[in-house]
Amino acid sequence: MPEIIELNVGGVSYTTTLATLLQDKGTLLAELFGEGREALAKDSKGRYFLDRDGVLFRYILDFLRDKALHLPEGFRERQRLLREAEHFKLTAMLESIRGERDARPPGCITIGYRGSFQFGKDGLADVKFRKLSRILVCGRVAQCREVFGDTLNESRDPDHGGPDRYTSRFFLKHCFIEQAFDNLHDHGYRMAGSCGSGTAGSAAEPKPGVDTEENRWNHYNEFVFIRD
């Protein structure tokens, strides 16, 4: 077995050392590449082939190299990474993933949005879809950043103090409410309550290009998520 190992993991190529793969003697990788190993399958370019998630394997290698878990901000694949760590019998990595999850502080984040319904030529009989102008985020700054990562827009927040402060001025860079819910669920939050209100009438002239019926039917909704 050469000192430099080329791998094809689920179609993603990696180059590492044999010492890295044998770092933890109790893992499946140590079994595959250590003494007494069985013949490993190779691809057309002679790289050892592992039929696993190629994208997540980078975190497996990082952990073997550094003995520490390093995940990017807003990482949403913890459950899948947990499954990969279980497959490769990485006990220490499993403990790190579970420990990080259990160590997350409790908190509350409120999501709100103002929107309207898109109407067709037939008015109420032809409602097309909802239109969201902006998704607002309120809560402790550090927890909002943890959950939403790069999708969080902080440009309207005038206070640039520490991460332990609270704000009601964040909003998201996208308008997909279900994506926001997925982010919260992935970080251990659950919905505790919601409320909504609507308006059905406006004397003001609508803006150019805005349908009269659409301008009438506006609504505002808030959803409260908590993490114990």
Side-chain angles (χ1 to χ4, degrees):
M1 184 69 69
E3 289 300 314
I4 304 299
I5 306 294
E6 292 191 3
L7 301 172
N8 176 348
V9 185
V12 181
S13 299
Y14 291 95
T15 301
T16 187
T17 65
L18 181 61
T20 296
L21 297 177
L22 301 181
Q23 188 69 237
D24 189 337
K25 302 302 181 183
T27 67
L28 178 60
L29 290 170
E31 295 176 13
L32 294 174
F33 292 91
E35 295 181 5
R37 63 186 177 275
E38 298 181 4
L40 293 171
K42 293 185 177 182
D43 65 10
S44 59
K45 295 184 179 180
R47 297 171 297 194
Y48 293 104
F49 180 75
L50 300 177
D51 190 18
R52 299 301 300 179
D53 191 313
V55 175
L56 294 181
F57 191 75
R58 62 179 294 189
Y59 304 112
I60 303 280
L61 284 181
D62 284 346
F63 189 85
L64 290 173
R65 291 166 180 150
D66 303 331
K67 290 297 184 181
L69 186 66
H70 303 295
L71 300 178
E73 185 176 351
F75 183 73
R76 298 182 56 196
E77 302 286 347
R78 279 180 173 78
Q79 195 59 39
R80 297 186 65 176
L81 183 58
L82 195 68
R83 189 170 65 231
E84 293 300 303
E86 288 174 345
H87 173 79
F88 287 110
K89 303 178 184 179
L90 287 159
T91 304
M93 187 174 186
L94 285 169
E95 292 175 353
S96 294
I97 296 173
R98 290 167 177 157
E100 182 187 66
R101 180 184 58 193
D102 295 340
R104 293 182 298 194
C108 172
I109 292 178
T110 300
I111 300 295
Y113 73 87
R114 179 177 290 103
S116 61
F117 291 104
Q118 177 71 47
F119 288 84
K121 294 181 180 179
D122 298 327
L124 291 175
D126 191 24
V127 177
K128 299 294 186 181
F129 54 84
R130 67 184 179 207
K131 293 179 66 177
L132 277 64
S133 58
R134 181 172 292 173
I135 298 176
L136 306 176
V137 179
C138 309
R140 190 188 294 269
V141 170
Q143 293 179 328
C144 294
R145 289 172 177 167
E146 173 202 350
V147 171
F148 298 108
D150 293 337
T151 65
L152 193 67
N153 192 323
E154 304 183 25
S155 63
R156 296 294 181 91
D157 186 14
D159 186 359
H160 299 288
D164 288 334
R165 65 187 173 86
Y166 289 83
T167 182
S168 60
R169 302 295 299 273
F170 288 167
F171 61 95
L172 299 182
K173 297 177 183 178
H174 60 79
C175 292
F176 304 108
I177 190 69
E178 289 78 13
Q179 182 178 338
F181 290 172
D182 283 343
N183 289 144
L184 288 156
H185 179 266
D186 290 343
H187 286 81
Y189 286 83
R190 60 182 176 83
M191 187 184 295
S194 64
C195 64
S197 62
T199 59
S202 175
E205 283 291 322
K207 296 179 181 179
V210 176
D211 185 89
T212 303
E213 284 295 317
E214 179 183 330
N215 187 60
R216 289 181 56 210
W217 299 94
N218 293 305
H219 56 94
Y220 181 77
N221 301 274
E222 282 191 343
F223 306 86
V224 180
F225 287 81
I226 62 173
R227 184 170 67 188
D228 299 322

